[in-house]
Amino acid sequence: MAGIFDEALMRRVLGDCTPEGETLAAGIHGITLQVNQKKTSYFDVYVGVTEHYLLVAECEERKYLTAAYPLLPDLRKTVAEDVGACFPFGSIERCEIKKGMMGAVNCSITFRDGNFLKLQLPKRGGLGGGMPHHAEYRETILARLERFQG
């Protein structure tokens, strides 16, 4: 698990999910808490943003996610094969941001099509210093999601 706290790895994984013409502005290690409003599923993800997209990609190969939730299929595929990891900001209806435990922030995202995703953005980027830009990138991601509070 310690290997997932590697900024270079995170950039590569999110890079596979980044649409053509977009540039990754920020990315961090996060945790998916819920994949819809009725099913809770905890697994490690990388969360990133570009100018126009929210990106969510599994840190490790499909160990926790089942095929029961089509919005988040196997996120190891590229955008050309699987757009499930890319969520246009225009598809977000609202985002409720609340403080969580130990400085984490929980983001409950409701999409215009009724789908739901709850992410936890930890205060720290893991042990060992493998994600030196975590705090800065977390603030960038939160700033983009705060536009949808309301």
Side-chain angles (χ1 to χ4, degrees):
M1 179 147 187
I4 64 174
F5 297 108
D6 177 343
E7 201 165 286
L9 173 63
M10 180 258 322
R11 287 190 153 288
R12 281 193 305 276
V13 171
L14 288 175
D16 286 344
C17 302
T18 303
E20 190 173 326
E22 294 282 322
T23 302
L24 184 65
I28 64 170
H29 166 266
I31 300 166
T32 298
L33 300 178
Q34 286 180 280
V35 293
N36 66 40
Q37 292 187 3
K38 296 178 183 171
K39 181 176 175 128
T40 300
S41 179
Y42 300 91
F43 57 95
D44 293 276
V45 292
Y46 293 125
V47 180
V49 292
T50 68
E51 184 177 348
H52 299 103
Y53 293 89
L54 170 68
L55 309 172
V56 180
E58 292 182 27
C59 294
E60 299 174 301
E61 285 195 45
R62 197 175 187 83
K63 292 187 176 182
Y64 310 109
L65 188 60
T66 67
Y69 190 63
L71 183 63
L72 292 173
D74 185 351
L75 301 180
R76 286 302 196 143
K77 297 177 181 174
T78 65
V79 172
E81 296 171 66
D82 180 359
V83 184
C86 268
F87 304 103
F89 285 126
S91 71
I92 297 175
E93 182 175 309
R94 75 178 171 276
C95 179
E96 186 177 326
I97 299 174
K98 292 184 177 180
K99 291 181 181 179
M101 294 175 46
M102 299 175 55
V105 176
N106 294 332
C107 302
S108 299
I109 302 166
T110 304
F111 295 93
R112 294 185 190 285
D113 64 4
N115 283 311
F116 179 83
L117 179 66
K118 185 172 184 180
L119 300 170
Q120 184 176 79
L121 308 180
K123 183 175 183 174
R124 299 176 187 244
L127 303 173
M131 300 193 95
H133 299 99
H134 179 87
E136 169 193 346
Y137 290 162
R138 184 177 101 143
E139 293 308 312
T140 300
I141 293 167
L142 286 171
R144 301 264 170 101
L145 292 174
E146 285 173 350
R147 299 182 302 182
F148 302 100
Q149 288 193 104

